[in-house]
């Protein structure tokens, strides 16, 4: 595999003076559940702060007003929910016709228990040709769907970015040895993440194995991230990363380039936020507040 860790980072193209919001992509983020409205809201705010032209949040009807109240800049689409307040799989009948109305989709922030959402997550992953970023409960749902229902190897028909922490990686991999490898040193973690990405024979899958020195790989190349700090070990940090990567894909970057740049900027925002708040007091919304500074100077040491 080619190591890109020391190579120049991908960059967004300059914005033309005559640009309009449609030029910077339309993102749809599916997530949220009763008690977890903030996760999808933070993903949406991070997506807009990272340059997406338009962001729509598809959320359970029961939390629609709460999600809308966090930020007036994104749109909210209320979807059918079940009794526990999670998204019902039959929403697919309404979402399939609008799949290509959006440049990129994201799935997972605050989505809820995978027992309730596995069919939604698993079928989107297997059927969507549009780019799809999957995190958190979305990954757990995919893992459960594959274990319960899949009768053929998983080969997603479009670009995918999976952003697991080690626990989610273990469930997604379904392999104890690979899961243990994902908690090892840099070489072991690169090998584990690459092995998971390489299961996709179509080459559409990028794995972002989160943690200290996050690994980004598509199975043929990899990068180890150097930004970030322990203050980012706080609830919602991963939701912000989902929003950042989603926005970069919306603006035209490939899945691998968006993941690599997004991980760097997310960690850099964490470093900026730590200087403002200290590591102990850092919370996920501080990352969103620091994103503008990170985007303005993505290579502060160069």
């Amino acid at each position: 595999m080619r190591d890109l860790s020391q190579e120049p980072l991908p960059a967004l193209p300059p914005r033309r003076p005559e640009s309009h919001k449609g030029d910077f992509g339309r993102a749809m983020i599916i997530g949220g559940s009763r008690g977890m409205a903030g996760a999808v809201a933070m993903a949406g705010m991070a997506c807009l702060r990272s340059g997406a032209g338009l962001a729509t949040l598809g959320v359970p009807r029961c939390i629609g007003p709460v999600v809308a109240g966090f930020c007036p800049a994104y749109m909210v689409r209320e979807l059918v929910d079940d009794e526990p307040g999670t998204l019902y799989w039959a929403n697919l009948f309404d979402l399939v016709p609008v799949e290509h109305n959006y440049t990129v989709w994201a799935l997972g922030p605050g989505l809820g228990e995978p027992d309730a959402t596995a069919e939604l997550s698993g079928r989107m992953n297997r059927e969507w040709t549009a780019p799809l970023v999957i995190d958190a409960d979305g990954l757990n749902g995919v893992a459960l769907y594959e274990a319960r229902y899949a009768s053929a190897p998983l080969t997603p028909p479009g670009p995918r970015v999976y952003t697991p922490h080690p626990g989610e990686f273990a469930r997604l991999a379904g392999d104890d040895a690979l899961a243990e490898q994902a908690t090892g040193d840099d070489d072991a973690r690169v090998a584990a993440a690459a092995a998971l990405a390489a299961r996709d024979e179509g080459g559409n899958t990028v794995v972002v194995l989160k943690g200290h020195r996050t690994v980004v790989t598509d199975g043929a190349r990899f990068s180890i991230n150097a930004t970030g700090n322990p203050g980012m070990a706080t609830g919602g940090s991963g939701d912000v990363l989902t929003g950042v990567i989603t926005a970069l894909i919306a603006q035209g970057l490939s899945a691998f380039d968006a993941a690599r740049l997004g991980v760097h900027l997310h960690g850099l925002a964490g470093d900026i936020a730590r200087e403002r708040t200290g590591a102990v007091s850092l919370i996920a919304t501080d990352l969103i507040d620091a994103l503008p500074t990170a985007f303005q100077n993505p290579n502060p040491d160069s």
Side-chain angles (χ1 to χ4, degrees):
M1 280 194 301
R2 184 181 173 196
D3 183 356
L4 302 183
S5 303
Q6 303 304 317
E7 297 293 318
L9 287 163
L12 291 170
R15 296 197 166 196
R16 296 176 289 108
E18 67 273 21
S19 299
H20 60 83
K21 58 182 178 287
D23 292 332
F24 306 116
R26 293 171 169 83
M28 169 65 92
I29 304 174
I30 303 293
S33 56
R34 184 174 284 119
M36 294 288 286
V40 68
M42 286 190 290
M45 288 187 280
C47 185
L48 289 172
R49 279 294 188 194
S50 300
L54 292 163
T56 302
L57 276 52
V59 304
R61 186 173 296 146
C62 65
I63 64 168
V66 176
V67 173
F70 279 111
C71 177
Y74 52 58
M75 294 169 283
V76 173
R77 176 168 178 165
E78 293 186 355
L79 301 174
V80 178
D81 49 13
D82 57 17
E83 184 58 32
T86 55
L87 288 174
Y88 187 47
W89 70 268
N91 283 294
L92 287 168
F93 292 114
D94 292 324
L95 296 177
V96 166
V98 300
E99 176 188 347
H100 294 290
N101 291 358
Y102 299 94
T103 316
V104 58
W105 292 66
L107 172 70
L111 191 62
E113 289 299 319
D115 275 334
T117 59
E119 187 163 1
L120 176 70
S121 300
R123 288 185 57 183
M124 285 184 69
N125 189 42
R126 277 190 168 262
E127 298 171 11
W128 249 233
T129 59
L132 179 58
V133 181
I134 309 181
D135 182 37
D137 295 329
L139 293 172
N140 293 330
V142 166
L144 186 57
Y145 183 87
E146 291 300 312
R148 282 183 176 175
Y149 306 116
S151 59
L154 175 59
T155 305
R160 297 290 181 268
V161 179
Y162 300 153
T163 62
H165 59 53
E168 293 158 351
F169 181 94
R171 289 184 282 275
L172 197 59
D175 181 314
D176 290 343
L178 205 59
E180 183 176 356
Q181 193 175 16
T183 63
D185 61 16
D186 284 353
D187 290 343
R189 295 172 68 247
V190 167
L196 181 60
R199 288 182 181 177
D200 175 8
E201 295 182 357
N204 284 321
T205 299
V206 175
V207 174
V208 176
L209 179 54
K210 295 187 293 194
H212 177 57
R213 293 172 62 80
T214 291
V215 172
V216 179
T217 181
D218 61 2
R221 52 193 167 159
F222 73 92
S223 177
I224 300 175
N225 185 58
T227 59
N229 63 83
M232 298 172 68
T234 184
S237 181
D239 303 316
V240 174
L241 177 61
T242 296
V244 175
I245 295 173
T246 300
L248 296 176
I249 295 175
Q251 293 168 86
L253 292 189
S254 70
F256 181 83
D257 284 350
R260 185 174 168 228
L261 179 60
V263 166
H264 170 84
L265 290 168
H266 177 256
L268 180 58
D271 293 338
I272 294 165
R274 179 182 59 180
E275 293 301 312
R276 298 172 178 174
T277 68
V280 172
S281 297
L282 195 156
I283 60 174
T285 51
D286 296 327
L287 303 178
I288 299 171
D289 293 340
L291 282 171
T293 304
F295 272 91
Q296 289 167 20
N297 188 17
N299 297 293
D301 297 327
S302 61

